[in-house]
Amino acid sequence: MNAPDLSTLRGLHLPTGGTSAVQPEMVAALALGFGLALLVGLIRLVRARRAVSVRRAALRELALAARLEPEARRVAQARLLRRVVRTLKGEEAARSRGPAWAATLDATFATDFFRSGPGRAFADDLYRRPDSIDLAAIDTGLGRLLSQIRA
């Protein structure tokens, strides 16, 4: 078996399609890739800012409600929950009532606070006398849930 003659092979070289090493197709592909990466980053930034602003506004409203009398506080908190659900899940979700509202709240915040915890006050017991409801547990629970908003 004879060894092949390699003396006739050419050396490495760039393709002859253009006069320079920078091909227009390569520049276009790089620009498109960079533009798409920039777009993805911008979308992520906008979503993160939206989540922070919703969370910040909700916590500010909760702090303002904490200064009110017990009955007015619960009404303000109920309105806040409706606005948060409307913002995060849409108008249809914010229209539910009773046990369906509790289920919507639990699904929105990934909890059972509204169906089996102190948050039941917003689904079934909104008009119950405030002395029979643990306002401190409600305030603490709502503060924890609203601080975890990720939009």
Side-chain angles (χ1 to χ4, degrees):
M1 181 160 186
N2 292 343
D5 182 23
L6 301 178
S7 64
T8 60
L9 289 178
R10 285 188 331 174
L12 293 176
H13 61 281
L14 292 173
T16 59
T19 58
S20 69
V22 179
Q23 303 289 325
E25 299 86 17
M26 292 300 291
V27 171
L30 287 172
L32 181 64
F34 181 72
L36 288 175
L38 191 61
L39 181 64
V40 168
L42 183 62
I43 289 171
R44 291 185 72 182
L45 179 67
V46 167
R47 283 186 176 175
R49 283 189 134 179
R50 179 177 173 247
V52 168
S53 65
V54 169
R55 181 178 342 138
R56 187 178 304 135
L59 289 172
R60 183 175 47 245
E61 289 287 326
L62 184 64
L64 290 174
R67 299 178 189 163
L68 301 173
E69 294 296 318
E71 290 178 23
R73 178 189 317 176
R74 227 174 11 177
V75 170
Q77 290 169 339
R79 287 179 179 158
L80 170 63
L81 288 171
R82 290 274 178 198
R83 285 195 313 268
V84 168
V85 169
R86 185 176 295 116
T87 301
L88 297 177
K89 298 290 184 174
E91 187 66 37
E92 189 66 32
R95 286 189 186 130
S96 54
R97 301 275 183 240
W101 175 238
T104 299
L105 287 168
D106 282 340
T108 300
F109 294 104
T111 185
D112 64 349
F113 180 77
F114 299 99
R115 281 182 288 185
S116 61
R120 284 188 317 266
F122 297 106
D124 302 327
D125 304 332
L126 188 59
Y127 300 105
R128 183 180 283 184
R129 302 290 304 167
D131 52 338
S132 64
I133 295 174
D134 187 1
L135 296 174
I138 290 173
D139 290 343
T140 303
L142 286 179
R144 180 179 48 82
L145 294 173
L146 293 176
S147 67
Q148 296 173 356
I149 290 177
R150 305 267 184 258

